Amino acid sequence: MTATAEPEIGKARLRKEDTRLITGQTRWTDNLQLTGMLHMAVLRSPVAHARITNVDVSRATAMPGVALVLTGEDLAAEQGSLPCAWPITEDMKAPAAPALAVDRVNFAGEAVALVIADSAYHAADALSEIDVDYDELPVVLDLEEAVRDNDLVHEDLGTNKSATWVYDSAEAGSGTDVEDEIASAEVVVERTFRQQRLIPAFMEPRSVVVDPAAGMFTVWSATQIPHILRWMLSAVTGIAEHKIRVIAPDVGGGFGGKLQVTPEELLCLLVARRMGRPVKWTETRTESMLSAHHGRDQLQKITLAARRDGTVTGLKVELLADMGAYLRLVTPGVPILGAFMFNAIYKFAAYRFVCTNVFTNKVPTDAYRGAGRPEATFAIERMMDELAVELGMDPMKVRELNWIKHEEFPFTTVAGLTYDSGNYEAATARAMELFDYDGLREEQARRRADGSPFQIGIGISTFTEMCGLAPSRVLGALRYGAGGWETASIRMLPTGKVEVITGTSPHGQGHETVWSQIVADKLGVPFEDVEVLHGDTATSHKGMDSYGSRSLAVGGTALVHAADKVLAKAKTLAAHMMECDETDVEFASGAFSVRGTSTSRSLGDVVLAAHVAHDLPEGMEPGLDADATFDPDNFSYPHGTHLCATEVDTETGLVKIIRYVAVDDVGTVMNPLIVDGQVHGGLAQGIAQALYEEATHDEMGTLTSATLADYLVPSAADLPSFITDRTTTPATSNPLGAKGVGEAGTIASTPAVVNSVLDAVRHLGVRDIEMPMSPERVWTALQGRGDPGSGDVAAGGLGSIDAQGGQE
Amino acid sequence: MIPAEFKYLVPSTVDEAVRMLAEEGEDAKVLAGGQSLVPVLRMRLAAPTALIDIGGLTELTGVRDEGDSLLIGAMTTHYEVQRDHLVQDHALLLKLVTDTVADPQVRHRGTFGGSLCHADPAGDLLAPALALDAVMIIAGPGGRREVPAADFFVDYFTTALAPDEILVDVRVPKHTGWSAHYEKLNRVAQAWSIVAVAAAVQVRDGTITAARIGLTNVGSGPVRAADVESALVGQPATAESISSAAVRASSGDGYKDNLARVLTGRALTAAVTG
Ligand SMILES: Cc1cc2nc3c(=O)[nH]c(=O)nc-3n(C[C@H](O)[C@H](O)[C@H](O)COP(=O)(O)OP(=O)(O)OC[C@H]3O[C@@H](n4cnc5c(N)ncnc54)[C@H](O)[C@@H]3O)c2cc1C
């Protein structure tokens, strides 16, 4: 055995899952074909707010191939209410959330009827034969209008305000009173920012198959959360949890968009139960955009108090967060995840955060890559630039003056979190060097002096975030409905091969590769000898799934602990086999040896001995399998310095990123290639928020960006070649030293881009531009005119299609 | 994304295709490369009862030299237009515009004729067809007729084609030796033009002797910047004459008006200096 020749951890291995994913040698949920399977199609509301006065299904029922047509009325007694696992306050107002609308619809795209037919074609054809009469109600779309409660989304709640959540450093004892700091401040900067609504736009559309055969309900779903889904499906339907098996096969992306218990998952289950036959539903892209949860959508009022020398003293954050029409799985908690991050890497004396969650007649919002933290990072990094402008200081200087110094870790912040480790100086120094900050500033000065139509700007984002969700204790204190631990099992097979079972649920990240690398190093077995099983509640019976950059920091740690258990038992057995004292046994390179002798047994020998169990020490159970569950004590805190240079074409408003440097500190790196991939993808999504993506509605509440011709997801062709590097300050909260990298790029990049664009045009009188910074918005700002709105996105022949027309 | 049911017909000649169109009535549609029609069908924005697939009609593909002009078959793909030497030598503008259309997959399926018949004002090929004075050759039950581009584009997604007519060829007058440029502003690679300007210029001894300029996506169809063209003729090929002519591309103060002026200036500059 030579497995230690080169450590696996830290190796830039190509992902072992990629061959099957890229060549189509795998099965996605939609590929499943079961005997006798029926197909479900969903009729969606074309209007955003209405009473349903009549649904006539007679014509649809008579269409060819149609087995059943169901309305909300038909399912009212059994469908219950979709779960919300995060009641953020005791008095939070939550409307009933039927999977299929019964007597009213609250957003355009809400499911109102189902056709179940022998083929997807027949199901789609019959949809247009269902007649629904709507008695339209006033539509509530705007957050500021919604809080006035003039028109209500849910009349029975009596208000559009779901809950108000407060953190106050004076009350919590983590700092002083923010009002005092503002009153005594030498400088007060107040700004309002809009976090536009985004659509997660995962590549694989959602798909569900439910098979009711053999006294079980087997549910395949393109989900991030098979374990939570099983629990929640059982809770909502009353079907015993052990009679439901959920399988998330290979899943093509999620970005939080598949961290959900969807109406369609529940409906497929109910239909399969009713029909006694397998049922499949797969959404179209437009259906996805109209009904899968959206992300962000906040109005942020930020007040920052500081001294003239640039020292920040107080931060007050007042948010309106758009819930959309219903509270889905973690909808109310998403803005609260940001509550601890507005103060970021800076040492504020006082902090107050107040968030009001608001209902509107739009698709529910929920987790989207970064969930709460991008919003916070955006606001604070924009404010640091605003303060620098106000004081005439260099924006990096202002940050340096206020951030936590590397020797001050561990550091307890004004929001009450303890950052375990970090080195903002080191990451910044490296980024400044790679970026050529001074050189670009000179170029900027030259272009300003020349009056060039192509102005350049520099944007900074010195971010941190909290991830590795999450200490169960903390989740409990935040009234979240579940724990944050993670689990792993190792099965040592008699031939020495290894099966690893993880409770995390990868959907594109590359867990199989990294988990194999960790096990290969720990056990001294070849990388190829490890198989990672996931996403099936029958093999992986418990887990908290994948989101919040948690898989490695929490699930990877469980894996390390499981490997330690395997080795501990193997060592006892090896000592027995070699007839020596256990304290004399050493383990290296996949073999146990007796210190100072040539006697040794390979791990494979020990595994076989454990398996056949012919001669085990007194009381030892056969086999070497081990399980471990890890509940972290703390979050992990990746950080980094991102620098973005943009060139703004002042004649057209077009923004081009000319240089982007990301120096991230994600702790110890298991696989640099995968880390780079996560950073690149994250940057693309964060940049997309700054420049391209926005879910738009007309005044009736119709989503006008319901195709990828209107909702502009950038591709590699639209992005610069990123310059990435790392500093490494290991996390102290887990044995791997890993901090998490899934969301960092997204969290960091949006303000870097926006700061950069503003820096390019501020001398021309522009103070702010809403996201996404479309050419029209930038140009309009340069003319000194008000925000033009989303403008004309040139939809290329598809136009903006309505909910009804666009759903097949 | 499942289209409504339709009949699928495969003609073996243009005449047969025209006959099929007439027989199937108003709700029949011609299927060319499908790059615009298929998405529309799948989203059920349209539900034709029959599709007549002209993809197999080889008589509709390729570029021919007709002396003073080129004859481009309606079913010639974007990919073929990009690579055609006749197009390169005599209608460079068309090649440059086609280079910016969509992505390689789409360019391998999508056709020149299909783009023109689809008549999306954001489509890129309308403006150069208009600017280069292309003539559409159309087959119908009563035989063939010719319609100049200026009369072909009627409104948003609407052309002079009758429901029972097929675009067969596009005659493009040769612009041999002209320089050209397509200045396109779009937000991401797969997005359509917000505004774009197609310009071809003939320069002799430092003087602009002729100019052809078409604007993409500033109205319900392509727009000819005739004022700019006439302002350029006889002027020296300099930055000054270009900028004083380019402002005539539009007189409004909206965003697209501004783009029409700015991009016209840039397209002309690139054409002249490029
Ligand atoms: C992802 C994507 C990106 C795109 N980007 C761009 C872009 O950047 N710029 C751009 O200009 N275009 C773009 N397109 C559109 C592309 O150029 C299409 O190929 C073109 O618009 C239509 O050509 P087609 O051959 O596919 O026609 P089809 O889709 O088959 O037909 C389009 C319409 O024209 C009619 N038709 C077609 N041929 C004839 C004929 N000979 N006689 C009568 N009627 C006919 C059809 O009945 C139909 O109504 C894009 C398309 C896609 C899918």
Side-chain angles (χ1 to χ4, degrees):
Chain A
M1 293 273 246
T2 54
T4 52
E6 191 190 346
E8 279 291 339
I9 290 181
K11 210 189 240 186
R13 270 202 179 268
L14 290 174
R15 308 188 335 163
K16 58 156 68 171
E17 44 277 79
D18 281 357
T19 309
R20 74 168 191 271
L21 296 179
I22 291 169
T23 61
Q25 300 297 308
T26 186
R27 247 179 220 110
W28 311 97
T29 301
D30 188 49
N31 299 132
L32 290 173
Q33 301 294 345
L34 303 179
T35 309
M37 189 168 73
L38 295 165
H39 296 261
M40 181 173 97
V42 182
L43 183 73
R44 298 188 180 278
S45 172
V47 296
H49 200 197
R51 265 185 223 100
I52 299 174
T53 53
N54 187 47
V55 186
D56 180 357
V57 302
S58 51
R59 277 189 305 134
T61 311
M63 289 286 286
V66 172
L68 183 68
V69 181
L70 289 172
T71 66
E73 200 77 64
D74 299 327
L75 290 177
E78 57 181 305
Q79 71 176 344
S81 183
L82 288 163
C84 173
W86 203 339
I88 54 165
T89 61
E90 210 157 340
D91 60 353
M92 181 181 87
K93 292 196 165 51
L100 202 56
V102 179
D103 51 10
R104 49 176 69 217
V105 288
N106 292 305
F107 68 91
E110 186 167 357
V112 288
L114 306 176
V115 173
I116 295 95
D118 59 356
S119 74
Y121 297 84
H122 282 144
D125 285 345
L127 280 185
S128 50
E129 303 301 316
I130 301 174
D131 285 320
V132 185
D133 296 333
Y134 297 99
D135 183 4
E136 294 197 36
L137 296 166
V139 174
V140 182
L141 298 173
D142 180 72
L143 276 172
E144 287 173 295
E145 183 52 36
V147 288
R148 289 188 199 111
D149 284 341
N150 290 330
D151 293 313
L152 297 180
V153 176
H154 302 284
E155 256 160 53
D156 52 329
L157 298 182
T159 174
N160 290 323
K161 297 188 265 300
S162 173
T164 298
W165 195 93
V166 181
Y167 182 88
D168 188 292
S169 60
E171 283 163 29
S174 59
T176 56
D177 188 320
V178 84
E179 297 301 342
D180 293 347
E181 299 295 347
I182 292 170
S184 63
E186 293 170 10
V187 192
V188 176
V189 183
E190 195 183 298
R191 296 286 184 272
T192 300
F193 303 124
R194 195 176 73 97
Q195 290 283 328
Q196 80 269 32
R197 188 172 262 257
L198 298 174
I199 298 178
F202 32 75
M203 196 178 289
E204 181 204 13
R206 297 173 304 162
S207 180
V208 190
V209 174
V210 179
D211 182 9
M216 283 284 290
F217 290 99
T218 304
V219 179
W220 288 265
S221 183
T223 179
Q224 292 174 232
I225 53 161
H227 298 92
I228 296 173
L229 179 59
R230 171 159 90 151
W231 180 6
M232 292 297 130
L233 286 177
S234 162
V236 174
T237 61
I239 297 171
E241 191 179 353
H242 65 296
K243 294 293 178 189
I244 302 175
R245 172 183 177 189
V246 176
I247 302 173
D250 275 326
V251 174
F255 312 117
K258 290 173 181 166
L259 196 191
Q260 193 55 271
V261 176
T262 68
E264 295 82 5
E265 285 164 333
L266 181 69
L267 292 168
C268 272
L269 179 59
L270 296 179
V271 170
R273 177 165 73 176
R274 192 177 271 238
M275 307 291 288
R277 287 170 66 179
V279 180
K280 181 196 279 185
W281 169 80
T282 300
E283 70 184 352
T284 67
R285 176 61 59 184
T286 291
E287 208 178 0
S288 187
M289 300 179 102
L290 285 168
S291 63
H293 73 246
H294 292 175
R296 314 274 196 270
D297 208 339
Q298 288 185 357
L299 205 62
Q300 311 176 303
K301 190 178 155 202
I302 318 284
T303 312
L304 186 147
R307 290 203 291 267
R308 282 250 150 245
D309 68 359
T311 311
V312 298
T313 54
L315 184 66
K316 186 163 78 168
V317 174
E318 296 160 283
L319 301 185
L320 295 179
D322 194 337
M323 304 288 99
Y326 297 100
L327 303 180
R328 295 288 194 237
L329 191 63
V330 299
T331 302
V334 169
I336 310 313
L337 277 172
F340 306 95
M341 280 290 123
F342 279 86
N343 53 299
I345 64 171
Y346 309 112
K347 295 182 281 187
F348 284 94
Y351 174 53
R352 183 177 168 83
F353 171 95
V354 184
C355 177
T356 303
N357 285 350
V358 183
F359 292 113
T360 61
N361 291 114
K362 286 181 275 181
V363 174
T365 57
D366 208 316
Y368 173 52
R369 203 167 187 174
R373 290 102 78 209
E375 296 91 316
T377 301
F378 179 83
I380 186 63
E381 289 304 302
R382 282 284 296 108
M383 289 306 280
M384 294 309 277
D385 262 35
E386 294 294 314
L387 178 63
V389 170
E390 200 76 23
L391 297 175
M393 289 176 71
D394 180 272
M396 189 58 96
K397 290 273 152 40
V398 177
R399 287 171 170 83
E400 266 168 27
L401 192 66
N402 289 292
W403 70 40
I404 302 159
K405 307 265 178 301
H406 70 273
E407 65 273 12
E408 293 175 306
F409 288 91
F411 185 91
T412 300
T413 73
V414 73
L417 292 178
T418 300
Y419 295 175
D420 61 334
S421 71
N423 190 333
Y424 309 139
E425 298 91 326
T428 301
R430 183 72 187 125
M432 296 286 266
E433 183 184 321
L434 288 169
F435 191 67
D436 185 19
Y437 186 84
D438 296 334
L440 278 164
R441 283 274 181 231
E442 280 164 29
E443 173 66 19
Q444 178 180 48
R446 251 197 308 281
R447 300 230 192 155
R448 280 189 192 171
D450 291 355
S452 161
F454 297 92
Q455 290 293 314
I456 64 171
I458 294 175
I460 301 172
S461 172
T462 48
F463 83 105
T464 190
E465 60 133 335
M466 54 189 273
C467 65
L469 306 185
S472 300
R473 222 171 7 87
V474 177
L475 293 180
L478 291 173
R479 307 178 54 88
Y480 182 60
W485 46 262
E486 197 42 82
T487 178
S489 301
I490 295 180
R491 296 175 183 162
M492 300 302 297
L493 304 179
T495 55
K497 308 290 185 203
V498 186
E499 277 177 352
V500 169
I501 296 144
T502 175
T504 64
S505 196
H507 40 281
Q509 297 90 340
H511 292 23
E512 289 172 33
T513 302
V514 171
W515 270 232
S516 300
Q517 288 179 277
I518 292 172
V519 169
D521 264 8
K522 287 295 293 183
L523 301 183
V525 298
F527 172 84
E528 294 74 18
D529 285 4
V530 185
E531 189 69 25
V532 181
L533 309 176
H534 55 79
D536 180 347
T537 59
T539 43
S540 135
H541 74 287
K542 63 177 177 178
M544 293 308 305
D545 308 316
S546 288
Y547 43 83
S549 304
R550 68 186 306 273
S551 291
L552 182 63
V554 189
T557 301
L559 181 61
V560 169
H561 289 173
D564 286 339
K565 287 185 185 178
V566 168
L567 287 178
K569 184 172 176 185
K571 192 174 182 186
T572 307
L573 180 52
H576 177 76
M577 291 164 75
M578 297 186 287
E579 299 177 341
C580 69
D581 197 292
E582 202 181 319
T583 54
D584 292 330
V585 177
E586 285 177 332
F587 179 70
S589 306
F592 296 92
S593 56
V594 183
R595 200 182 325 258
T597 75
S598 60
T599 312
S600 79
R601 293 285 185 283
S602 72
L603 179 64
D605 296 339
V606 180
V607 170
L608 186 63
H611 193 78
V612 298
H614 294 165
D615 177 17
L616 299 182
E618 205 47 46
M620 180 179 275
E621 283 180 25
L624 274 184
D625 301 350
D627 303 325
T629 300
F630 174 68
D631 195 357
D633 287 337
N634 194 357
F635 297 93
S636 54
Y637 304 96
H639 71 81
T641 297
H642 288 213
L643 299 173
C644 174
T646 53
E647 182 181 80
V648 178
D649 179 345
T650 58
E651 293 178 343
T652 65
L654 192 75
V655 173
K656 199 172 117 194
I657 296 177
I658 53 175
R659 194 172 305 164
Y660 197 102
V661 169
V663 176
D664 283 281
D665 194 324
V666 298
T668 310
V669 167
M670 307 294 118
N671 182 326
L673 209 52
I674 287 182
V675 165
D676 275 344
Q678 289 292 319
V679 170
H680 280 225
L683 292 177
Q685 268 172 318
I687 291 169
Q689 177 173 12
L691 297 180
Y692 305 120
E693 297 183 11
E694 180 178 27
T696 53
H697 299 81
D698 65 14
E699 69 282 3
M700 300 304 292
T702 306
L703 185 72
T704 51
S705 54
T707 74
L708 291 177
D710 312 273
Y711 187 86
L712 301 182
V713 178
S715 69
D718 307 303
L719 298 163
S721 183
F722 301 123
I723 302 168
T724 60
D725 202 357
R726 279 183 290 280
T727 56
T728 303
T729 317
T732 62
S733 51
N734 68 68
L736 290 166
K739 293 178 175 175
V741 67
E743 294 154 297
T746 309
I747 292 171
S749 53
T750 312
V753 177
V754 172
N755 280 339
S756 165
V757 173
L758 290 171
D759 185 53
V761 296
R762 213 184 276 273
H763 68 288
L764 300 172
V766 177
R767 286 171 51 110
D768 199 9
I769 302 170
E770 271 193 24
M771 296 188 290
M773 300 172 107
S774 65
E776 184 170 5
R777 279 202 166 107
V778 173
W779 181 81
T780 307
L782 282 162
Q783 309 312 303
R785 304 182 195 170
D787 186 78
S790 317
D792 177 358
V793 291
L798 299 175
S800 38
I801 57 173
D802 61 61
Q804 195 70 61
Q807 69 186 351
E808 284 89 13
Chain B
M1 303 241 283
I2 296 173
E5 195 171 326
F6 55 83
K7 212 194 247 180
Y8 178 72
L9 300 169
V10 184
S12 44
T13 61
V14 170
D15 291 345
E16 192 187 357
V18 169
R19 216 166 34 244
M20 284 173 168
L21 266 180
E23 277 164 16
E24 294 301 326
E26 294 246 329
D27 288 333
K29 276 232 162 245
V30 168
L31 175 67
Q35 297 305 293
S36 295
L37 185 54
V38 171
V40 164
L41 296 181
R42 286 166 63 103
M43 286 193 263
R44 298 202 178 195
L45 296 174
T49 49
L51 289 191
I52 294 151
D53 185 351
I54 58 171
L57 301 182
T58 45
E59 55 188 301
L60 294 185
T61 60
V63 182
R64 276 158 292 160
D65 193 333
E66 295 248 302
D68 287 345
S69 54
L70 301 180
L71 208 55
I72 304 179
M75 280 301 299
T76 309
T77 63
H78 299 315
Y79 176 81
E80 288 159 351
V81 169
Q82 280 181 286
R83 268 157 193 75
D84 190 274
H85 289 296
L86 290 170
V87 172
Q88 188 124 4
D89 293 345
H90 307 294
L92 178 63
L93 179 61
L94 212 49
K95 178 222 173 329
L96 297 178
V97 171
T98 307
D99 285 345
T100 74
V101 170
D103 52 49
Q105 284 104 314
V106 173
R107 290 197 293 267
H108 271 83
R109 302 278 322 168
T111 65
F112 181 47
S115 290
L116 300 177
C117 295
H118 191 56
D120 180 344
D124 290 303
L125 289 157
L126 285 61
L130 181 68
L132 297 180
D133 296 313
V135 175
M136 312 298 156
I137 300 168
I138 295 167
R144 307 238 161 165
R145 66 180 180 120
E146 300 195 357
V147 179
D151 301 329
F152 184 74
F153 302 110
V154 175
D155 205 342
Y156 296 97
F157 303 101
T158 310
T159 66
L161 282 172
D164 55 2
E165 288 184 318
I166 290 176
L167 176 66
V168 179
D169 285 308
V170 182
R171 183 182 302 128
V172 181
K174 283 186 180 172
H175 289 72
T176 316
W178 289 48
S179 50
H181 186 76
Y182 191 50
E183 186 72 20
K184 174 169 173 174
L185 189 86
N186 61 351
R187 290 180 61 192
V188 296
Q190 96 277 8
W192 273 255
S193 300
I194 301 174
V195 169
V197 177
V201 194
Q202 191 185 46
V203 181
R204 290 212 174 109
D205 303 327
T207 298
I208 297 172
T209 50
R212 306 275 183 268
I213 300 162
L215 309 180
T216 299
N217 210 18
V218 295
S220 59
V223 170
R224 185 86 178 250
D227 285 353
V228 183
E229 292 178 2
S230 52
L232 285 168
V233 176
Q235 299 298 314
T238 60
E240 292 70 43
S241 38
I242 286 172
S243 56
S244 70
V247 295
R248 297 170 185 241
S250 176
S251 56
D253 75 342
Y255 178 56
K256 285 193 170 188
D257 298 299
N258 167 66
L259 287 183
R261 292 186 293 266
V262 170
L263 302 181
T264 298
R266 290 184 185 176
L268 288 168
T269 305
V272 167
T273 62

